């Protein structure tokens, strides 16, 4: 899937990164550890209930909680103004671009062309320096497979982190519903002999990812569907490329379609080097 999405014009998605997004989220957690946990809604609900029971609808802390990730400290060693929600967004987005840089190989004299004929930001230090407008049009993304393994990073916390720091992003959440086959794949790939443990881990991770997709698509207390995330199942799309082509429409691409599914990691880690064309008129028209 990663390889196929990187064939899209103006798209550059990097591979796994040892869960850097989770560790980046801890920058925010650390700032607010002396207050209500910013990525945990339950304490805030209890606080609101307490304020209402006291007949104080204008509780300052309660009001500020919806606007600030950390309230103001008026004096003392930690003095600062209130920090609005999203204050860390530029830092977090810079991390993604750092994890996913353009090809800065010296001596290349031109950007590589994408399969559709559009500039894909492919490579060359000189071209990167001389044509910053090409890089400015790149759509960046990262693959991450470890959020669900992160300590205390429950789906709702992950949702808050992702939506508040990447407000323009869309999220593709890929699961494999055949837990037995996935467990056996883990056994084969990593030479493990703990099938039952691998099976249970896979079931728990799939449950986590489905919850994350649900939360990502909720807003305003569940009243609004944001259509921010798309949950897909490998057991469905591996034999039906139309599911992935529907995904391209949802992402906003026009005149783009995959003719078939690439099968990476066949027989372990074998690569599928088939050439795919998404169509001569394939384009992302919103740049």
């Amino acid at each position: 899937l990663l390889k196929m999405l990187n064939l899209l014009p103006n798209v550059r998605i990097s591979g796994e990164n040892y869960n850097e997004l989770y560790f980046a989220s801890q920058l925010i957690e650390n700032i607010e550890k002396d207050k209500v946990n910013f990525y945990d809604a339950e304490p805030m609900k209890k606080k609101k209930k307490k304020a209402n029971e006291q007949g104080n609808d204008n509780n300052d802390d309660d009001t500020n909680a919806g606007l600030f990730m950390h309230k103001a400290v008026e004096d003392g060693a930690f003095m600062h103004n209130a920090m609005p929600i999203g204050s860390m967004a530029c830092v977090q987005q810079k991390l993604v671009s750092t994890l996913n840089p353009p090809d800065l190989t010296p001596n290349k004299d031109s950007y590589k062309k994408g399969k559709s004929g559009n500039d894909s930001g492919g490579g060359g230090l000189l071209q990167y320096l001389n044509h910053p407008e090409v890089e400015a049009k790149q759509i960046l993304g990262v693959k991450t497979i470890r959020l669900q393994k992160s300590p205390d990073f429950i789906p709702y916390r992950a949702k808050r982190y992702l939506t508040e720091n990447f407000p323009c992003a869309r999220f593709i959440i890929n699961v494999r519903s055949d837990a037995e086959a996935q467990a056996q794949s883990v056994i084969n790939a990593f030479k493990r002999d703990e099938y039952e443990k691998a099976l249970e881990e896979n079931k728990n991770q799939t449950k986590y990812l489905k919850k994350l997709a649900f939360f990502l698509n909720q807003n305003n207390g569940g009243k609004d569907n944001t259509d921010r995330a798309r949950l897909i199942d490998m057991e469905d799309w591996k034999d039906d490329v139309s599911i992935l082509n529907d995904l391209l429409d949802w992402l906003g691409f026009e005149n783009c379609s995959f003719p078939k599914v690439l099968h990476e990691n066949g027989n372990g880690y074998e690569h599928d080097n088939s050439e795919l064309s998404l169509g001569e008129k394939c384009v992302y028209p919103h740049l």
Side-chain angles (χ1 to χ4, degrees), residues 66-137:
L67 301 174
F68 302 108
M69 69 177 187
H70 199 291
K71 63 183 180 181
V73 179
E74 295 183 0
D75 54 33
F78 290 89
M79 62 183 299
H80 59 72
N81 293 322
M83 301 177 188
I85 287 175
S87 297
M88 281 284 201
C90 289
V91 176
Q92 305 292 325
Q93 292 172 31
K94 179 60 178 177
L95 171 67
V96 168
S97 65
T98 301
L99 293 172
N100 190 10
D103 184 352
L104 301 178
T105 307
N107 303 323
K108 285 189 177 180
D109 58 4
S110 65
Y111 271 91
K112 292 185 289 187
K113 294 290 182 178
K115 297 298 181 182
S116 65
N118 295 318
D119 287 321
S120 63
L125 178 60
L126 291 178
Q127 286 298 309
Y128 171 74
L129 296 174
N130 293 332
H131 297 280
E133 73 280 0
V134 176
E135 179 61 21
K137 292 182 178 180

Side-chain angles (χ1 to χ4, degrees), residues 112-284:
K112 292 185 289 187
K113 294 290 182 178
K115 297 298 181 182
S116 65
N118 295 318
D119 287 321
S120 63
L125 178 60
L126 291 178
Q127 286 298 309
Y128 171 74
L129 296 174
N130 293 332
H131 297 280
E133 73 280 0
V134 176
E135 179 61 21
K137 292 182 178 180
Q138 296 308 294
I139 302 168
L140 302 184
V142 294
K143 171 186 175 182
T144 181
I145 64 169
R146 291 179 170 85
L147 286 183
Q148 66 272 21
K149 300 179 181 180
S150 308
D152 302 322
F153 210 40
I154 61 176
Y156 187 78
R157 289 188 187 181
K159 176 260 185 181
R160 291 284 300 273
Y161 166 74
L162 292 170
T163 57
E164 289 169 3
N165 291 284
F166 305 95
C168 298
R170 287 200 162 187
F171 304 94
I172 301 170
I173 300 182
N174 184 38
V175 299
R176 187 176 185 182
S177 59
D178 189 340
E180 291 77 10
Q182 177 65 15
Q184 191 59 55
S185 177
V186 170
I187 297 298
N188 295 340
F190 298 103
K191 310 303 180 185
R192 291 171 50 179
D193 57 2
E194 301 170 315
Y195 174 81
E196 293 300 328
K197 181 179 179 180
L199 179 61
E200 187 65 21
E201 287 177 352
N202 181 64
K203 289 180 177 179
N204 289 335
Q205 290 173 27
T206 298
K207 183 178 180 180
Y208 177 104
L209 292 171
K210 287 182 176 180
K211 283 187 176 181
L212 177 57
F214 173 80
F215 284 131
L216 283 168
N217 281 328
Q218 299 299 308
N219 198 12
N220 192 21
K223 297 178 181 178
D224 301 326
N225 189 327
T226 64
D227 200 28
R228 191 191 297 268
R230 182 63 58 92
L231 179 69
I232 57 175
D233 189 333
M234 194 189 84
E235 296 301 325
D236 296 329
W237 61 259
K238 69 178 182 178
D239 298 314
D240 186 357
V241 73
S242 68
I243 294 173
L244 299 184
N245 287 331
D246 288 342
L247 189 70
L248 301 187
D249 293 338
W250 171 73
L251 289 170
F253 289 89
E254 294 183 1
N255 305 312
C256 302
S257 62
F258 295 116
K260 68 172 188 175
V261 175
L262 291 179
H263 292 280
E264 288 283 274
N265 298 331
N267 298 319
Y269 290 104
E270 291 182 6
H271 298 296
D272 187 339
N273 295 315
S274 303
E275 292 286 334
L276 293 185
S277 171
L278 278 69
E280 294 182 359
K281 296 182 179 181
C282 176
V283 65
Y284 186 76

Side-chain angles (χ1 to χ4, degrees), residues 27-41:
L27 294 173
I28 302 171
E29 292 277 357
N30 183 61
I31 286 175
E32 325 212 303
K33 62 185 178 182
D34 62 335
K35 186 175 169 284
V36 174
N37 192 317
F38 187 49
Y39 292 128
D40 190 344

